[in-house]
Amino acid sequence: MDPNWIVGFVDGEGCFSVSFVRNKTTRFGYQIFVEFVLTQGEKSLNVLEKVNDFFGCGRVYRNTRHDNHRENLYRYCVRSINDLATKIVPFFNQYPLLTAKAQDFANFKIVVEMMTKREHLSQDGFEKIRIIAQNMNRQKVRVLNPSETNSQTAK
Amino acid sequence: MDPNWIVGFVDGEGCFSVSFVRNKTTRFGYQIFVEFVLTQGEKSLNVLEKVNDFFGCGRVYRNTRHDNHRENLYRYCVRSINDLATKIVPFFNQYPLLTAKAQDFANFKIVVEMMTKREHLSQDGFEKIRIIAQNMNRQKVRVLNPSETNSQTAK
């Protein structure tokens, strides 16, 4: 799998997201949820599996929310901070994105690096991440219900 | 611009479409409308311009239909049968798509080749293209209103 193909595919279809999940057991009432995602229909599931092999981390989930789609959707997701920091971020540092998604990645990278240093556990760090997330793809901070993070089943 | 990046981007985001536009002046009441399209928000307009330069054909249009999007949408479109047959189709023959979009491309290519030989002007050819289009991305043959083909303004 050519790295430039990966970059093009992610420029077209990838998502770097930072969300907040309500969780009363955490210090600030929310858990920060960072995720690198690629979504495809069932007919291209094999491509997600190849990407999974390429990065050597993450996994492919079947999405149980069908919405209006005719075929099942599959999501390749990397959620481990360690995998994001040691595999995903270094890859896109070496092979930069070409579209405006590069700006999302730059913000995502800051959050991953802060979380690696456990800065999200301080009030200042948590607030900084909230502001960065606000400036990312959705403009508005995305707050997930706890159930939404489980809305997919392992393949 | 790396050709593998182009393939990845098109696998993620590209569209090969065959539509039918009502047109009473044509032999069978419909004009066949073939199009290779890449869509991006305004912030990535420069990337569409680079793709335009890469292929040396087509053009970038501003889409006047905003729907729910916050930013203007831009579409890089190649519609000339000659450009499709001599530039777009040979490129994806040389650098194959990896996702299920390869199947759309295979069908698109048959239509472009038939139209190059003017086979769409016969009843048999027209009917064959209608059946191929039915099996493409939308499953259902897409019939456009004539106004829809003008729903975008040159940049």
Side-chain angles (χ1 to χ4, degrees), chain B residues 25-140:
Chain B
T25 68
T26 61
R27 203 169 303 187
F28 307 114
Y30 290 94
Q31 186 180 343
I32 299 169
F33 195 66
V34 288
E35 201 178 31
F36 167 58
V37 184
L38 287 166
T39 304
Q40 287 288 290
E42 189 154 21
K43 285 185 285 186
S44 301
L45 170 58
N46 67 320
V47 172
L48 294 185
E49 286 167 344
K50 280 183 196 160
V51 173
N52 196 161
D53 289 345
F54 178 87
F55 284 118
C57 65
R59 48 189 298 195
V60 177
Y61 297 87
R62 183 158 57 104
N63 202 322
T64 54
R65 297 163 71 186
H66 291 197
D67 305 332
N68 289 321
H69 295 277
R70 287 181 309 270
E71 54 173 349
N72 283 325
L73 287 179
Y74 287 81
R75 302 172 90 228
Y76 167 64
C77 306
V78 183
R79 296 167 175 177
S80 141
I81 288 289
N82 185 51
D83 287 339
L84 290 167
T86 62
K87 293 174 178 170
I88 303 300
V89 167
F91 175 80
F92 291 103
N93 282 340
Q94 189 179 350
Y95 296 98
L97 294 153
L98 304 188
T99 66
K101 217 158 272 181
Q103 188 54 52
D104 282 339
F105 170 69
N107 285 317
F108 184 82
K109 178 178 152 177
I110 293 170
V111 174
V112 168
E113 286 169 357
M114 287 179 70
M115 290 179 75
T116 304
K117 296 184 208 152
R118 304 183 70 72
E119 290 175 14
H120 62 299
L121 301 178
S122 75
Q123 178 82 55
D124 274 5
F126 184 87
E127 184 59 19
K128 191 171 169 192
I129 291 174
R130 198 186 60 75
I131 291 165
I132 293 168
Q134 235 166 10
N135 292 319
M136 287 180 70
N137 30 6
R138 289 165 196 269
Q139 306 287 337
K140 191 162 157 263

Side-chain angles (χ1 to χ4, degrees), chain B residues 135-151:
Chain B
N135 292 319
M136 287 180 70
N137 30 6
R138 289 165 196 269
Q139 306 287 337
K140 191 162 157 263
V141 175
R142 188 172 169 223
V143 178
L144 297 174
N145 291 316
S147 66
E148 283 187 79
T149 60
N150 301 317
S151 72

Side-chain angles (χ1 to χ4, degrees), chain A residues 15-129:
Chain A
C15 180
F16 298 94
S17 86
V18 177
S19 316
F20 292 79
V21 184
R22 282 190 194 87
N23 182 339
K24 287 180 186 168
T25 69
T26 60
R27 203 169 301 187
F28 307 113
Y30 290 95
Q31 187 183 342
I32 299 168
F33 194 67
V34 288
E35 201 179 31
F36 167 57
V37 184
L38 287 166
T39 305
Q40 286 289 292
E42 190 155 19
K43 286 186 285 184
S44 301
L45 169 59
N46 68 319
V47 172
L48 294 184
E49 287 168 344
K50 281 184 196 161
V51 173
N52 197 162
D53 290 345
F54 178 87
F55 284 118
C57 65
R59 48 187 298 196
V60 177
Y61 297 88
R62 183 159 57 103
N63 203 323
T64 55
R65 296 161 74 185
H66 291 197
D67 305 333
N68 290 321
H69 295 278
R70 286 182 309 270
E71 54 174 349
N72 283 326
L73 286 179
Y74 288 82
R75 302 172 88 230
Y76 166 65
C77 304
V78 184
R79 295 167 175 178
S80 142
I81 287 290
N82 185 51
D83 287 339
L84 290 168
T86 62
K87 293 173 178 170
I88 304 300
V89 167
F91 175 81
F92 291 103
N93 282 340
Q94 189 179 349
Y95 296 97
L97 294 154
L98 304 188
T99 65
K101 218 158 270 181
Q103 188 54 52
D104 283 339
F105 170 70
N107 285 317
F108 184 83
K109 177 178 156 179
I110 293 170
V111 174
V112 168
E113 286 169 355
M114 287 179 70
M115 290 179 76
T116 304
K117 297 184 206 151
R118 302 183 71 71
E119 290 175 12
H120 61 299
L121 301 177
S122 74
Q123 178 82 57
D124 273 6
F126 184 88
E127 184 59 18
K128 191 173 168 191
I129 291 174

